[in-house]
Amino acid sequence: MRALDPLVASSLLPASAGRPRSSVPTGRSEDDPRTTALEGLEPLLALRPELEIVADAVEAFELPPTYRALLAHDQDMTSTLEAHHGEPIDLEPLVWRRDEAVLRREVRLLTRTTRRAVEYGAITIELGGFGDEARQAILEGREPLGSILARCGPQYSSRPHGFFHLRSGHVDEVLDLTRASRLWGRANRLASVDGERTLATVVEVLPPLRAQAAG
């Protein structure tokens, strides 16, 4: 798994009508862009405009070590989480919306045997970038996108463009957490190998993890 150089989110999305309000952390000015939600949270905002989210951008080196190993890389999250947890990962769709060639869905990923929730995700998939077999598998909603890409393509690049921590009662609930937690995640873009065509944009949020190395 190839680690990336530290990344800084290049643009942040201010709270506005029709989008979740991103609360300003205590002690920071509203003019500070790090007090607003990452633009990369758009896949989540499009599906859950009613959510109250507190989010802050961070650089890759600011992630706690275990989270940095799981998030700051250019691989797909499915295989990364399978290696970390030692078992296959299954997809559970929560919300599903299709608009012509664009599929938006809110999901969680579960370990196959122990059925632990190991990721919350919101993804926008550009169906036109996939062949028939992959597109059919995506629409069936039984398999994580990373597994589909590994099995039947197309070839792609994974390009994380922002890391963050957030608080959200909704995400806590989806991840089966019993108390409010600060959660770490990334905004990622899956693209054609040459980077010219976006295949998917995704928000990936991890539950609290034990302090152990990935893999």
Side-chain angles (χ1 to χ4, degrees):
M1 183 167 62
R2 187 165 71 256
L4 296 176
D5 292 332
L7 298 178
V8 181
S10 60
S11 58
L12 302 176
L13 180 68
S16 60
R19 300 191 187 282
R21 294 182 295 279
S22 186
S23 301
V24 177
T26 302
R28 288 184 178 170
S29 165
E30 291 187 12
D31 294 330
D32 183 348
R34 288 165 64 95
T35 65
T36 58
L38 285 168
E39 185 177 58
L41 291 175
E42 176 61 25
L44 172 57
L45 310 187
L47 283 168
R48 292 287 189 178
E50 77 282 3
L51 290 186
E52 291 281 348
I53 299 174
V54 180
D56 258 323
V58 298
E59 299 184 32
F61 71 84
E62 296 179 279
L63 296 166
T66 304
Y67 293 91
R68 186 164 62 245
L70 291 174
L71 294 169
H73 58 82
D74 58 3
Q75 307 299 312
D76 73 279
M77 283 298 294
T78 306
S79 62
T80 300
L81 290 172
E82 287 178 339
H84 180 81
H85 293 286
E87 56 181 299
I89 300 293
D90 291 333
L91 176 76
E92 181 181 2
L94 304 172
V95 174
W96 183 288
R97 186 181 305 155
R98 183 177 179 184
D99 180 12
E100 296 183 356
V102 176
L103 176 67
R104 300 180 187 274
R105 66 187 184 194
E106 179 188 37
V107 304
R108 67 176 183 169
L109 300 184
L110 304 170
T111 52
R112 182 167 300 170
T113 302
T114 57
R115 307 310 289 174
R116 286 179 294 159
V118 294
E119 184 195 299
Y120 170 86
I123 187 168
T124 299
I125 303 173
E126 304 288 342
L127 295 171
F130 297 86
D132 291 344
E133 182 181 359
R135 186 164 51 249
Q136 180 60 36
I138 291 168
L139 292 173
E140 287 174 355
R142 301 172 183 166
E143 192 176 358
L145 182 60
S147 299
I148 294 171
L149 288 166
R151 180 166 55 80
C152 54
Q155 291 188 327
Y156 70 99
S157 61
S158 175
R159 302 182 176 209
H161 54 87
F163 303 97
F164 54 85
H165 62 74
L166 64 78
R167 290 185 183 274
S168 167
H170 171 71
V171 178
D172 289 344
E173 182 179 354
V174 171
L175 290 173
D176 297 327
L177 305 181
T178 57
R179 61 182 179 180
S181 301
R182 183 168 73 162
L183 305 172
W184 301 89
R186 73 178 187 177
N188 193 20
R189 174 178 176 252
L190 303 181
S192 55
V193 174
D194 61 11
E196 294 297 319
R197 181 168 192 170
T198 297
L199 301 175
T201 52
V202 57
V203 175
E204 299 163 312
V205 182
L206 302 181
L209 298 167
R210 294 188 300 274
Q212 61 189 60

